[in-house]
Amino acid sequence: MEIAKRSQQIADTPVWKHIGMEIKKSIPGYSEVELKITQQLLQIHGSVHGGIQATLIDAAVGTALTPMLEEHEAASTVELKTNFLRPGKGEKLICKGRIKHKGRNLVLGEAEIVNDMGKLIASGTATYMIFRN
């Protein structure tokens, strides 16, 4: 399956549509995912909820990994760590995901979230397990 089609299948999943995440770039080992900040994504203090930010990190790393997988491979998150550095405020959040290491069974990726003003909002890592059909 071609890279663009596989990435689009991810972006068409219910959680992506519900939250409003969009793939802006997806190449082997790197991705950019954007999220327009809406009222429904805010926590009590008016910034984007931490769970939404963690989901964005997971999505960006997963989207960076997808083009690296073979036809018969799939991957699933087995660990996710997020450091929240400042409140998620602005018009949108941009998450850039990178693959640091891809082994036979495990993959390590990292991502950073910035807002539309270029402020670093959060940073995280994700570990994925590769499954073969």
Side-chain angles (χ1 to χ4, degrees), residues 57 60-61 96-100 108-112 123-126:
I57 287 171
V61 176
K96 298 176 181 181
R98 291 169 289 287
I99 301 304
K100 292 189 66 138
L108 175 64
E110 64 184 5
E112 291 184 345
S123 179
T125 59

Side-chain angles (χ1 to χ4, degrees), residues 37-50 53 86-91 93 115 117 121:
I37 297 175
T38 63
Q39 190 69 29
Q40 292 79 10
L41 303 178
L42 304 182
Q43 42 88 311
I44 194 169
H45 301 293
S47 61
V48 175
H49 188 278
Q53 293 181 47
R86 64 172 42 97
K89 294 188 175 188
E91 298 287 319
L93 298 180
N115 64 12
M117 296 165 280
I121 303 299

Side-chain angles (χ1 to χ4, degrees), residues 81-101:
K81 180 183 186 308
T82 305
N83 294 318
F84 303 103
L85 306 171
R86 64 172 42 97
K89 294 188 175 188
E91 298 287 319
K92 65 182 174 180
L93 298 180
I94 303 105
C95 191
K96 298 176 181 181
R98 291 169 289 287
I99 301 304
K100 292 189 66 138
H101 173 78

